[in-house]
Amino acid sequence: MTARVDRADCLEPEVPLSPREYAAAAQAKLERSVWDYIAGGSGDEVTLREDRVAYDRYRLRPRAFVDVSHCELSTTLLGRHVSFPAGIAPMAFHRLVHADGETATVRAAGAVGALTITSTFASKTLEETARAATGPLWLQVYVFRERKVTESLVRRAEAAGYQALVITVDTPRMARRERDLRNGFSLPSYVRPAHLDEGQRAGLHHGRSGSSTLADHAERHHDAAFTWEDLAWLRSLTSLPLVLKGVLTAQDARRAAEFGIEGLIVSTHGGRQLDGAIPALDALPEVVEAVPDRCEVLVDGGIRRGTDVLKALALGARAVLVGRPVLWGLAVDGADGVERVLATLRAELEEAMALSGRPGLDTITRELLHRSADFPYHPTSHDKEMA
């Protein structure tokens, strides 16, 4: 007599398929203070939610009888080939969610041919990350009051082979992030800003309720007096392309282009800085229209699906940057989790292009979009965590 085998016993463990599933699995694994640090925004988290909702206000207008037997997704970013127009946004302290930290993230990006932007506050050194990279790699830089700290980062990035510098412009000070204040957020002992020396790390590991060690650190070290005039000093340090991250207006976009800036990232810092700021997707068209083609425009904030990427491209973005879903994938399954998140996004973009009758990136135009101004959206509590 043959024993009955339950089919369920033969199935592989479930792998998350969607951003919602990755978020839920990551939240279940992480300490609450770490999850809140990743998921949260500033103030009432209005911009955090609106960054996501902005994508849902657009509907797609597909075309029929188009040859979509092959869809071409590859492009270049500042002259470097990428397999599809998406990359990893700069985010601090990847070791908060996985021991391999940024080296796992950059390996995953290389496996799918995507750009990585590593943070000034990475938890692996910029040299370690560069050694693990097989795809394009840029370094995000904050301007510190001690200019020699910023200058050292620039020199090290050049020596390690980074291809561009991303200057964050929206953080002269850190906004009030109430989740972090409530948790008294500080870094655990095994996580440190690996690019910085001991003097620059001081105070990050001993928090108390009602304060955030990261906000205190920014107040002590970020240069809130840095202006357009000072940008010439930064340009004098390097021949690497400069990209400004956090530009939301045509006025600043034009000023950057006049200065010779090679790229812009339209961004609200993931809803973590000025609460009530215009969503990044809504700011994208005016920024694109304000600069010449030689200045490449990217956008981040709220990207969850391939259709989101399609909508951003239709509004003029050269590429998108993905933030929180990368950390969810890293928390769930290290480099393999990040690779699955990025590979799924690429597959979804290809599907969306085929089903909308856009076989190449050059065929994705605003004619694809219909904006529904009165989109009836009522976020659930889980939607707020997903923002």
Side-chain angles (χ1 to χ4, degrees):
M1 185 178 204
T2 304
R4 180 179 179 273
V5 177
D6 190 334
R7 183 174 177 274
D9 294 336
C10 302
L11 296 177
E12 295 290 330
E14 286 190 8
V15 173
L17 297 177
S18 69
R20 184 184 297 275
E21 291 178 1
Y22 270 104
Q27 185 175 9
K29 293 188 70 168
L30 299 174
E31 294 182 10
R32 176 175 176 174
S33 63
V34 172
W35 172 257
D36 281 350
Y37 168 69
I38 293 168
S42 61
D44 289 323
E45 300 187 343
V46 172
T47 297
L48 174 68
R49 294 189 295 274
E50 284 293 309
D51 262 350
R52 172 59 244 156
V53 175
Y55 285 90
D56 292 333
R57 294 194 184 104
Y58 285 94
R59 294 291 182 261
L60 300 170
R61 303 174 64 246
R63 298 298 300 274
F65 294 121
V66 177
D67 180 359
V68 290
S69 56
H70 172 74
C71 292
E72 181 54 60
L73 280 67
S74 66
T75 187
T76 60
L77 295 175
L78 298 183
R80 293 293 298 265
H81 178 268
V82 290
S83 68
F84 71 119
I88 296 176
M91 295 172 289
F93 307 123
H94 290 205
R95 291 197 70 222
L96 282 171
V97 304
H98 193 277
D100 292 341
E102 288 78 6
T103 54
T105 306
V106 78
R107 285 199 306 270
V112 297
L115 166 72
T116 300
I117 307 177
T118 194
S119 169
T120 288
F121 288 97
S123 48
K124 292 282 190 176
T125 68
L126 62 87
E127 291 84 3
E128 289 175 299
T129 302
R131 287 193 293 269
T134 57
L137 183 62
W138 302 352
L139 177 68
Q140 176 269 333
V141 176
Y142 287 110
V143 178
F144 292 98
R145 291 181 185 177
E146 290 187 49
R147 294 287 179 85
K148 65 181 182 180
V149 177
T150 301
E151 183 171 353
S152 174
L153 289 172
V154 171
R155 302 296 187 207
R156 289 170 60 190
E158 286 185 319
Y162 285 72
Q163 293 100 40
L165 300 177
V166 177
I167 314 304
T168 294
V169 305
D170 60 6
T171 317
R173 60 186 292 175
M174 189 173 288
R176 182 179 173 88
R177 302 171 187 174
E178 292 178 2
R179 298 198 208 195
D180 291 349
L181 295 175
R182 187 172 296 109
N183 294 325
F185 183 77
S186 63
L187 295 180
S189 60
Y190 59 87
V191 176
R192 61 187 178 88
H195 301 344
L196 305 180
D197 63 25
E198 290 297 332
Q200 289 286 320
R201 299 173 193 161
L204 287 171
H205 293 91
H206 305 288
R208 65 186 187 281
S209 181
S211 71
S212 162
T213 59
L214 298 184
D216 294 342
H217 185 275
E219 186 174 355
R220 292 196 306 274
H221 295 289
H222 286 198
D223 187 355
F226 194 83
T227 67
W228 288 103
E229 286 69 31
D230 297 307
L231 196 57
W233 165 78
L234 193 59
R235 173 66 90 187
S236 73
L237 297 179
T238 180
S239 60
L240 290 177
L242 297 184
V243 178
L244 302 187
K245 179 180 181 289
V247 173
L248 291 172
T249 65
Q251 295 94 321
D252 282 342
R254 281 192 292 269
R255 187 82 181 264
E258 290 166 0
F259 193 86
I261 294 297
E262 287 88 348
L264 301 173
I265 300 173
V266 181
S267 172
T268 67
H269 212 102
R272 296 156 73 83
Q273 281 300 103
L274 177 62
D275 195 31
I278 182 174
L281 190 71
D282 289 347
L284 176 62
E286 72 170 88
V287 171
V288 169
E289 290 169 5
V291 298
D293 290 343
R294 62 172 173 76
C295 184
E296 299 183 4
V297 180
L298 292 76
V299 65
D300 73 9
I303 300 288
R304 298 294 179 266
R305 293 286 195 175
T307 48
D308 299 334
V309 182
L310 188 66
K311 293 170 185 178
L313 297 178
L315 290 173
R318 189 169 184 87
V320 305
L321 298 173
V322 186
R324 291 177 176 92
V326 167
L327 292 181
W328 301 338
L330 184 65
V332 170
D333 199 16
D336 289 342
V338 176
E339 185 175 343
R340 283 197 297 270
V341 166
L342 294 174
T344 298
L345 191 67
R346 186 189 191 285
E348 289 182 350
L349 173 60
E350 184 174 21
E351 176 184 277
M353 289 171 63
L355 294 180
S356 63
R358 267 70 178 187
L361 300 182
D362 61 342
T363 67
I364 301 171
T365 63
R366 292 195 195 186
E367 188 267 339
L368 172 62
L369 300 179
H370 169 77
R371 193 176 195 279
S372 177
D374 299 320
F375 178 71
Y377 178 75
H378 304 288
T380 66
S381 59
H382 193 82
D383 290 330
K384 295 175 182 179
E385 295 292 348
M386 284 277 291

mmCIF file of all heavy atoms in Angstrom, residues 338-381:
data_model
loop_
_atom_site.group_PDB
_atom_site.id
_atom_site.type_symbol
_atom_site.label_atom_id
_atom_site.label_comp_id
_atom_site.label_asym_id
_atom_site.label_seq_id
_atom_site.Cartn_x
_atom_site.Cartn_y
_atom_site.Cartn_z
ATOM 1 N N VAL A 338 17.047 41.078 -2.481
ATOM 2 C CA VAL A 338 17.164 42.315 -3.262
ATOM 3 C C VAL A 338 17.113 42.000 -4.750
ATOM 4 O O VAL A 338 16.436 42.691 -5.527
ATOM 5 C CB VAL A 338 18.460 43.062 -2.916
ATOM 6 C CG1 VAL A 338 18.621 44.298 -3.810
ATOM 7 C CG2 VAL A 338 18.480 43.468 -1.453
ATOM 8 N N GLU A 339 17.810 40.950 -5.169
ATOM 9 C CA GLU A 339 17.809 40.589 -6.585
ATOM 10 C C GLU A 339 16.407 40.246 -7.062
ATOM 11 O O GLU A 339 16.002 40.648 -8.158
ATOM 12 C CB GLU A 339 18.759 39.417 -6.826
ATOM 13 C CG GLU A 339 18.900 39.060 -8.300
ATOM 14 C CD GLU A 339 19.930 37.971 -8.547
ATOM 15 O OE1 GLU A 339 20.769 37.703 -7.667
ATOM 16 O OE2 GLU A 339 19.887 37.369 -9.646
ATOM 17 N N ARG A 340 15.640 39.535 -6.233
ATOM 18 C CA ARG A 340 14.266 39.194 -6.642
ATOM 19 C C ARG A 340 13.400 40.441 -6.749
ATOM 20 O O ARG A 340 12.575 40.559 -7.663
ATOM 21 C CB ARG A 340 13.648 38.195 -5.660
ATOM 22 C CG ARG A 340 14.133 36.767 -5.832
ATOM 23 C CD ARG A 340 13.217 35.777 -5.141
ATOM 24 N NE ARG A 340 13.184 35.983 -3.700
ATOM 25 C CZ ARG A 340 14.000 35.393 -2.830
ATOM 26 N NH1 ARG A 340 14.948 34.584 -3.265
ATOM 27 N NH2 ARG A 340 13.902 35.622 -1.542
ATOM 28 N N VAL A 341 13.557 41.366 -5.805
ATOM 29 C CA VAL A 341 12.785 42.617 -5.872
ATOM 30 C C VAL A 341 13.081 43.353 -7.178
ATOM 31 O O VAL A 341 12.161 43.786 -7.888
ATOM 32 C CB VAL A 341 13.103 43.512 -4.649
ATOM 33 C CG1 VAL A 341 12.583 44.933 -4.869
ATOM 34 C CG2 VAL A 341 12.491 42.921 -3.381
ATOM 35 N N LEU A 342 14.353 43.492 -7.519
ATOM 36 C CA LEU A 342 14.727 44.225 -8.727
ATOM 37 C C LEU A 342 14.338 43.464 -9.989
ATOM 38 O O LEU A 342 13.856 44.061 -10.960
ATOM 39 C CB LEU A 342 16.226 44.503 -8.727
ATOM 40 C CG LEU A 342 16.729 45.451 -7.633
ATOM 41 C CD1 LEU A 342 18.253 45.516 -7.653
ATOM 42 C CD2 LEU A 342 16.133 46.843 -7.776
ATOM 43 N N ALA A 343 14.542 42.145 -9.987
ATOM 44 C CA ALA A 343 14.187 41.350 -11.164
ATOM 45 C C ALA A 343 12.679 41.362 -11.404
ATOM 46 O O ALA A 343 12.219 41.404 -12.553
ATOM 47 C CB ALA A 343 14.684 39.916 -11.000
ATOM 48 N N THR A 344 11.911 41.347 -10.321
ATOM 49 C CA THR A 344 10.452 41.419 -10.462
ATOM 50 C C THR A 344 10.035 42.766 -11.029
ATOM 51 O O THR A 344 9.165 42.849 -11.901
ATOM 52 C CB THR A 344 9.776 41.178 -9.101
ATOM 53 O OG1 THR A 344 10.114 39.860 -8.633
ATOM 54 C CG2 THR A 344 8.261 41.298 -9.216
ATOM 55 N N LEU A 345 10.657 43.832 -10.561
ATOM 56 C CA LEU A 345 10.339 45.160 -11.069
ATOM 57 C C LEU A 345 10.655 45.239 -12.561
ATOM 58 O O LEU A 345 9.884 45.803 -13.347
ATOM 59 C CB LEU A 345 11.126 46.206 -10.292
ATOM 60 C CG LEU A 345 10.722 47.664 -10.514
ATOM 61 C CD1 LEU A 345 9.335 47.932 -9.960
ATOM 62 C CD2 LEU A 345 11.736 48.605 -9.856
ATOM 63 N N ARG A 346 11.776 44.674 -12.957
ATOM 64 C CA ARG A 346 12.147 44.676 -14.375
ATOM 65 C C ARG A 346 11.134 43.888 -15.197
ATOM 66 O O ARG A 346 10.698 44.340 -16.261
ATOM 67 C CB ARG A 346 13.546 44.085 -14.558
ATOM 68 C CG ARG A 346 14.069 44.189 -15.983
ATOM 69 C CD ARG A 346 15.358 43.408 -16.195
ATOM 70 N NE ARG A 346 15.971 43.729 -17.465
ATOM 71 C CZ ARG A 346 15.543 43.299 -18.650
ATOM 72 N NH1 ARG A 346 14.486 42.506 -18.724
ATOM 73 N NH2 ARG A 346 16.165 43.660 -19.763
ATOM 74 N N ALA A 347 10.748 42.700 -14.711
ATOM 75 C CA ALA A 347 9.778 41.877 -15.441
ATOM 76 C C ALA A 347 8.427 42.579 -15.545
ATOM 77 O O ALA A 347 7.756 42.525 -16.587
ATOM 78 C CB ALA A 347 9.627 40.528 -14.752
ATOM 79 N N GLU A 348 8.032 43.263 -14.467
ATOM 80 C CA GLU A 348 6.765 43.987 -14.499
ATOM 81 C C GLU A 348 6.815 45.154 -15.473
ATOM 82 O O GLU A 348 5.821 45.448 -16.150
ATOM 83 C CB GLU A 348 6.411 44.482 -13.097
ATOM 84 C CG GLU A 348 6.001 43.395 -12.134
ATOM 85 C CD GLU A 348 5.609 43.938 -10.779
ATOM 86 O OE1 GLU A 348 5.832 45.141 -10.518
ATOM 87 O OE2 GLU A 348 5.059 43.172 -9.976
ATOM 88 N N LEU A 349 7.943 45.845 -15.542
ATOM 89 C CA LEU A 349 8.066 46.940 -16.504
ATOM 90 C C LEU A 349 7.966 46.402 -17.927
ATOM 91 O O LEU A 349 7.272 46.988 -18.770
ATOM 92 C CB LEU A 349 9.391 47.677 -16.313
ATOM 93 C CG LEU A 349 9.715 48.743 -17.370
ATOM 94 C CD1 LEU A 349 8.650 49.830 -17.409
ATOM 95 C CD2 LEU A 349 11.097 49.348 -17.118
ATOM 96 N N GLU A 350 8.650 45.310 -18.209
ATOM 97 C CA GLU A 350 8.587 44.730 -19.546
ATOM 98 C C GLU A 350 7.151 44.331 -19.893
ATOM 99 O O GLU A 350 6.672 44.577 -21.007
ATOM 100 C CB GLU A 350 9.510 43.526 -19.642
ATOM 101 C CG GLU A 350 9.567 42.919 -21.033
ATOM 102 C CD GLU A 350 10.586 41.811 -21.145
ATOM 103 O OE1 GLU A 350 10.963 41.239 -20.106
ATOM 104 O OE2 GLU A 350 10.986 41.496 -22.272
ATOM 105 N N GLU A 351 6.456 43.726 -18.947
ATOM 106 C CA GLU A 351 5.058 43.349 -19.167
ATOM 107 C C GLU A 351 4.192 44.580 -19.430
ATOM 108 O O GLU A 351 3.355 44.582 -20.347
ATOM 109 C CB GLU A 351 4.539 42.590 -17.945
ATOM 110 C CG GLU A 351 3.061 42.225 -18.012
ATOM 111 C CD GLU A 351 2.592 41.574 -16.726
ATOM 112 O OE1 GLU A 351 2.793 40.361 -16.583
ATOM 113 O OE2 GLU A 351 2.039 42.299 -15.863
ATOM 114 N N ALA A 352 4.393 45.629 -18.624
ATOM 115 C CA ALA A 352 3.593 46.840 -18.788
ATOM 116 C C ALA A 352 3.850 47.494 -20.143
ATOM 117 O O ALA A 352 2.920 48.007 -20.789
ATOM 118 C CB ALA A 352 3.899 47.824 -17.655
ATOM 119 N N MET A 353 5.107 47.477 -20.589
ATOM 120 C CA MET A 353 5.426 48.033 -21.908
ATOM 121 C C MET A 353 4.728 47.243 -23.007
ATOM 122 O O MET A 353 4.137 47.812 -23.939
ATOM 123 C CB MET A 353 6.943 48.050 -22.116
ATOM 124 C CG MET A 353 7.668 49.072 -21.263
ATOM 125 S SD MET A 353 9.500 48.906 -21.313
ATOM 126 C CE MET A 353 9.824 49.252 -23.060
ATOM 127 N N ALA A 354 4.780 45.922 -22.907
ATOM 128 C CA ALA A 354 4.145 45.088 -23.924
ATOM 129 C C ALA A 354 2.635 45.288 -23.948
ATOM 130 O O ALA A 354 2.022 45.458 -25.018
ATOM 131 C CB ALA A 354 4.483 43.619 -23.668
ATOM 132 N N LEU A 355 2.023 45.311 -22.781
ATOM 133 C CA LEU A 355 0.561 45.405 -22.727
ATOM 134 C C LEU A 355 0.053 46.804 -23.063
ATOM 135 O O LEU A 355 -1.118 46.970 -23.409
ATOM 136 C CB LEU A 355 0.069 44.985 -21.344
ATOM 137 C CG LEU A 355 0.302 43.509 -20.977
ATOM 138 C CD1 LEU A 355 -0.227 43.199 -19.589
ATOM 139 C CD2 LEU A 355 -0.351 42.580 -22.005
ATOM 140 N N SER A 356 0.915 47.806 -22.977
ATOM 141 C CA SER A 356 0.498 49.162 -23.348
ATOM 142 C C SER A 356 0.917 49.524 -24.766
ATOM 143 O O SER A 356 0.650 50.634 -25.224
ATOM 144 C CB SER A 356 1.058 50.184 -22.359
ATOM 145 O OG SER A 356 2.466 50.190 -22.389
ATOM 146 N N GLY A 357 1.588 48.584 -25.449
ATOM 147 C CA GLY A 357 1.985 48.839 -26.826
ATOM 148 C C GLY A 357 3.165 49.772 -26.953
ATOM 149 O O GLY A 357 3.261 50.550 -27.899
ATOM 150 N N ARG A 358 4.108 49.688 -26.014
ATOM 151 C CA ARG A 358 5.325 50.519 -26.031
ATOM 152 C C ARG A 358 6.546 49.609 -26.002
ATOM 153 O O ARG A 358 7.052 49.249 -24.931
ATOM 154 C CB ARG A 358 5.353 51.456 -24.831
ATOM 155 C CG ARG A 358 4.755 52.819 -25.097
ATOM 156 C CD ARG A 358 3.283 52.792 -25.282
ATOM 157 N NE ARG A 358 2.730 54.126 -25.499
ATOM 158 C CZ ARG A 358 1.427 54.382 -25.563
ATOM 159 N NH1 ARG A 358 0.547 53.397 -25.453
ATOM 160 N NH2 ARG A 358 0.998 55.610 -25.769
ATOM 161 N N PRO A 359 7.066 49.210 -27.162
ATOM 162 C CA PRO A 359 8.148 48.226 -27.199
ATOM 163 C C PRO A 359 9.530 48.777 -26.868
ATOM 164 O O PRO A 359 10.452 48.000 -26.643
ATOM 165 C CB PRO A 359 8.106 47.719 -28.644
ATOM 166 C CG PRO A 359 7.531 48.855 -29.422
ATOM 167 C CD PRO A 359 6.544 49.517 -28.509
ATOM 168 N N GLY A 360 9.686 50.087 -26.828
ATOM 169 C CA GLY A 360 10.977 50.676 -26.510
ATOM 170 C C GLY A 360 10.822 51.876 -25.614
ATOM 171 O O GLY A 360 9.746 52.498 -25.557
ATOM 172 N N LEU A 361 11.879 52.223 -24.896
ATOM 173 C CA LEU A 361 11.794 53.363 -23.983
ATOM 174 C C LEU A 361 11.475 54.651 -24.723
ATOM 175 O O LEU A 361 10.815 55.542 -24.166
ATOM 176 C CB LEU A 361 13.112 53.506 -23.215
ATOM 177 C CG LEU A 361 13.522 52.305 -22.344
ATOM 178 C CD1 LEU A 361 14.819 52.612 -21.605
ATOM 179 C CD2 LEU A 361 12.428 51.912 -21.365
ATOM 180 N N ASP A 362 11.913 54.741 -25.977
ATOM 181 C CA ASP A 362 11.646 55.961 -26.746
ATOM 182 C C ASP A 362 10.200 56.089 -27.186
ATOM 183 O O ASP A 362 9.782 57.140 -27.676
ATOM 184 C CB ASP A 362 12.576 56.038 -27.960
ATOM 185 C CG ASP A 362 12.392 54.859 -28.910
ATOM 186 O OD1 ASP A 362 11.816 53.825 -28.497
ATOM 187 O OD2 ASP A 362 12.826 54.953 -30.070
ATOM 188 N N THR A 363 9.409 55.040 -26.996
ATOM 189 C CA THR A 363 7.984 55.093 -27.351
ATOM 190 C C THR A 363 7.106 55.447 -26.151
ATOM 191 O O THR A 363 5.884 55.545 -26.290
ATOM 192 C CB THR A 363 7.515 53.747 -27.943
ATOM 193 O OG1 THR A 363 7.566 52.722 -26.925
ATOM 194 C CG2 THR A 363 8.386 53.333 -29.113
ATOM 195 N N ILE A 364 7.728 55.616 -24.982
ATOM 196 C CA ILE A 364 6.974 55.918 -23.761
ATOM 197 C C ILE A 364 6.879 57.431 -23.616
ATOM 198 O O ILE A 364 7.863 58.101 -23.278
ATOM 199 C CB ILE A 364 7.646 55.285 -22.530
ATOM 200 C CG1 ILE A 364 7.751 53.775 -22.697
ATOM 201 C CG2 ILE A 364 6.867 55.624 -21.262
ATOM 202 C CD1 ILE A 364 8.590 53.102 -21.615
ATOM 203 N N THR A 365 5.708 57.987 -23.884
ATOM 204 C CA THR A 365 5.500 59.429 -23.863
ATOM 205 C C THR A 365 4.278 59.760 -23.007
ATOM 206 O O THR A 365 3.534 58.869 -22.576
ATOM 207 C CB THR A 365 5.285 59.975 -25.283
ATOM 208 O OG1 THR A 365 4.080 59.398 -25.816
ATOM 209 C CG2 THR A 365 6.466 59.608 -26.194
ATOM 210 N N ARG A 366 4.050 61.053 -22.803
ATOM 211 C CA ARG A 366 2.918 61.465 -21.961
ATOM 212 C C ARG A 366 1.575 61.073 -22.554
ATOM 213 O O ARG A 366 0.572 61.016 -21.836
ATOM 214 C CB ARG A 366 2.962 62.981 -21.737
ATOM 215 C CG ARG A 366 4.131 63.425 -20.882
ATOM 216 C CD ARG A 366 3.950 64.839 -20.376
ATOM 217 N NE ARG A 366 5.210 65.361 -19.858
ATOM 218 C CZ ARG A 366 5.334 66.528 -19.252
ATOM 219 N NH1 ARG A 366 4.286 67.305 -19.102
ATOM 220 N NH2 ARG A 366 6.516 66.931 -18.820
ATOM 221 N N GLU A 367 1.538 60.816 -23.853
ATOM 222 C CA GLU A 367 0.298 60.376 -24.493
ATOM 223 C C GLU A 367 -0.208 59.073 -23.879
ATOM 224 O O GLU A 367 -1.388 58.752 -23.962
ATOM 225 C CB GLU A 367 0.555 60.214 -25.996
ATOM 226 C CG GLU A 367 -0.663 59.934 -26.852
ATOM 227 C CD GLU A 367 -0.889 58.439 -27.058
ATOM 228 O OE1 GLU A 367 0.074 57.662 -26.884
ATOM 229 O OE2 GLU A 367 -2.026 58.054 -27.386
ATOM 230 N N LEU A 368 0.681 58.354 -23.210
ATOM 231 C CA LEU A 368 0.316 57.092 -22.555
ATOM 232 C C LEU A 368 -0.571 57.309 -21.338
ATOM 233 O O LEU A 368 -1.300 56.413 -20.926
ATOM 234 C CB LEU A 368 1.606 56.373 -22.141
ATOM 235 C CG LEU A 368 1.514 55.124 -21.265
ATOM 236 C CD1 LEU A 368 0.743 54.014 -21.967
ATOM 237 C CD2 LEU A 368 2.911 54.644 -20.891
ATOM 238 N N LEU A 369 -0.543 58.520 -20.750
ATOM 239 C CA LEU A 369 -1.130 58.735 -19.437
ATOM 240 C C LEU A 369 -2.448 59.490 -19.475
ATOM 241 O O LEU A 369 -2.650 60.402 -20.282
ATOM 242 C CB LEU A 369 -0.156 59.510 -18.549
ATOM 243 C CG LEU A 369 1.199 58.857 -18.282
ATOM 244 C CD1 LEU A 369 2.048 59.767 -17.401
ATOM 245 C CD2 LEU A 369 1.039 57.488 -17.642
ATOM 246 N N HIS A 370 -3.325 59.125 -18.548
ATOM 247 C CA HIS A 370 -4.535 59.885 -18.244
ATOM 248 C C HIS A 370 -4.510 60.177 -16.755
ATOM 249 O O HIS A 370 -4.390 59.263 -15.935
ATOM 250 C CB HIS A 370 -5.793 59.093 -18.597
ATOM 251 C CG HIS A 370 -7.048 59.713 -18.061
ATOM 252 N ND1 HIS A 370 -7.637 60.815 -18.632
ATOM 253 C CD2 HIS A 370 -7.819 59.386 -16.987
ATOM 254 C CE1 HIS A 370 -8.719 61.136 -17.956
ATOM 255 N NE2 HIS A 370 -8.844 60.288 -16.940
ATOM 256 N N ARG A 371 -4.583 61.463 -16.404
ATOM 257 C CA ARG A 371 -4.545 61.827 -14.984
ATOM 258 C C ARG A 371 -5.952 61.996 -14.449
ATOM 259 O O ARG A 371 -6.748 62.781 -14.971
ATOM 260 C CB ARG A 371 -3.762 63.115 -14.767
ATOM 261 C CG ARG A 371 -3.414 63.362 -13.299
ATOM 262 C CD ARG A 371 -2.545 64.611 -13.141
ATOM 263 N NE ARG A 371 -1.912 64.681 -11.846
ATOM 264 C CZ ARG A 371 -2.481 65.113 -10.728
ATOM 265 N NH1 ARG A 371 -3.741 65.533 -10.776
ATOM 266 N NH2 ARG A 371 -1.827 65.154 -9.587
ATOM 267 N N SER A 372 -6.245 61.264 -13.403
ATOM 268 C CA SER A 372 -7.549 61.354 -12.752
ATOM 269 C C SER A 372 -7.400 62.226 -11.518
ATOM 270 O O SER A 372 -6.912 61.793 -10.479
ATOM 271 C CB SER A 372 -8.043 59.953 -12.358
ATOM 272 O OG SER A 372 -9.261 60.022 -11.675
ATOM 273 N N ALA A 373 -7.810 63.468 -11.638
ATOM 274 C CA ALA A 373 -7.595 64.439 -10.562
ATOM 275 C C ALA A 373 -8.391 64.104 -9.313
ATOM 276 O O ALA A 373 -8.009 64.451 -8.204
ATOM 277 C CB ALA A 373 -7.965 65.837 -11.042
ATOM 278 N N ASP A 374 -9.513 63.433 -9.486
ATOM 279 C CA ASP A 374 -10.388 63.152 -8.350
ATOM 280 C C ASP A 374 -10.300 61.695 -7.925
ATOM 281 O O ASP A 374 -11.290 61.089 -7.522
ATOM 282 C CB ASP A 374 -11.846 63.486 -8.705
ATOM 283 C CG ASP A 374 -12.014 64.951 -9.038
ATOM 284 O OD1 ASP A 374 -11.396 65.774 -8.359
ATOM 285 O OD2 ASP A 374 -12.758 65.252 -9.986
ATOM 286 N N PHE A 375 -9.096 61.118 -8.032
ATOM 287 C CA PHE A 375 -8.927 59.711 -7.665
ATOM 288 C C PHE A 375 -9.361 59.491 -6.224
ATOM 289 O O PHE A 375 -8.825 60.094 -5.296
ATOM 290 C CB PHE A 375 -7.467 59.298 -7.836
ATOM 291 C CG PHE A 375 -7.197 57.879 -7.437
ATOM 292 C CD1 PHE A 375 -7.663 56.837 -8.220
ATOM 293 C CD2 PHE A 375 -6.497 57.591 -6.281
ATOM 294 C CE1 PHE A 375 -7.410 55.530 -7.855
ATOM 295 C CE2 PHE A 375 -6.254 56.286 -5.915
ATOM 296 C CZ PHE A 375 -6.710 55.250 -6.696
ATOM 297 N N PRO A 376 -10.351 58.616 -5.987
ATOM 298 C CA PRO A 376 -10.854 58.410 -4.629
ATOM 299 C C PRO A 376 -9.973 57.425 -3.863
ATOM 300 O O PRO A 376 -10.124 56.213 -3.975
ATOM 301 C CB PRO A 376 -12.255 57.829 -4.865
ATOM 302 C CG PRO A 376 -12.132 57.090 -6.163
ATOM 303 C CD PRO A 376 -11.109 57.839 -6.982
ATOM 304 N N TYR A 377 -9.067 57.934 -3.075
ATOM 305 C CA TYR A 377 -8.132 57.065 -2.363
ATOM 306 C C TYR A 377 -8.322 57.239 -0.867
ATOM 307 O O TYR A 377 -8.273 58.349 -0.341
ATOM 308 C CB TYR A 377 -6.699 57.403 -2.750
ATOM 309 C CG TYR A 377 -5.668 56.574 -2.024
ATOM 310 C CD1 TYR A 377 -5.453 55.249 -2.382
ATOM 311 C CD2 TYR A 377 -4.933 57.105 -0.978
ATOM 312 C CE1 TYR A 377 -4.514 54.478 -1.720
ATOM 313 C CE2 TYR A 377 -3.987 56.338 -0.310
ATOM 314 C CZ TYR A 377 -3.785 55.028 -0.691
ATOM 315 O OH TYR A 377 -2.859 54.273 -0.026
ATOM 316 N N HIS A 378 -8.519 56.128 -0.177
ATOM 317 C CA HIS A 378 -8.674 56.146 1.274
ATOM 318 C C HIS A 378 -7.693 55.131 1.855
ATOM 319 O O HIS A 378 -7.983 53.926 1.863
ATOM 320 C CB HIS A 378 -10.109 55.803 1.668
ATOM 321 C CG HIS A 378 -11.125 56.703 1.030
ATOM 322 N ND1 HIS A 378 -11.296 58.017 1.411
ATOM 323 C CD2 HIS A 378 -11.991 56.492 0.006
ATOM 324 C CE1 HIS A 378 -12.248 58.565 0.668
ATOM 325 N NE2 HIS A 378 -12.672 57.669 -0.198
ATOM 326 N N PRO A 379 -6.521 55.569 2.321
ATOM 327 C CA PRO A 379 -5.484 54.625 2.727
ATOM 328 C C PRO A 379 -5.871 53.817 3.959
ATOM 329 O O PRO A 379 -6.455 54.335 4.911
ATOM 330 C CB PRO A 379 -4.280 55.534 3.026
ATOM 331 C CG PRO A 379 -4.879 56.859 3.350
ATOM 332 C CD PRO A 379 -6.117 56.966 2.499
ATOM 333 N N THR A 380 -5.545 52.524 3.924
ATOM 334 C CA THR A 380 -5.653 51.685 5.105
ATOM 335 C C THR A 380 -4.387 51.846 5.925
ATOM 336 O O THR A 380 -3.406 52.433 5.484
ATOM 337 C CB THR A 380 -5.810 50.215 4.707
ATOM 338 O OG1 THR A 380 -4.593 49.790 4.070
ATOM 339 C CG2 THR A 380 -6.968 50.020 3.742
ATOM 340 N N SER A 381 -4.386 51.286 7.121
ATOM 341 C CA SER A 381 -3.184 51.386 7.960
ATOM 342 C C SER A 381 -2.011 50.692 7.300
ATOM 343 O O SER A 381 -0.864 51.147 7.400
ATOM 344 C CB SER A 381 -3.454 50.764 9.341
ATOM 345 O OG SER A 381 -3.818 49.405 9.204
#
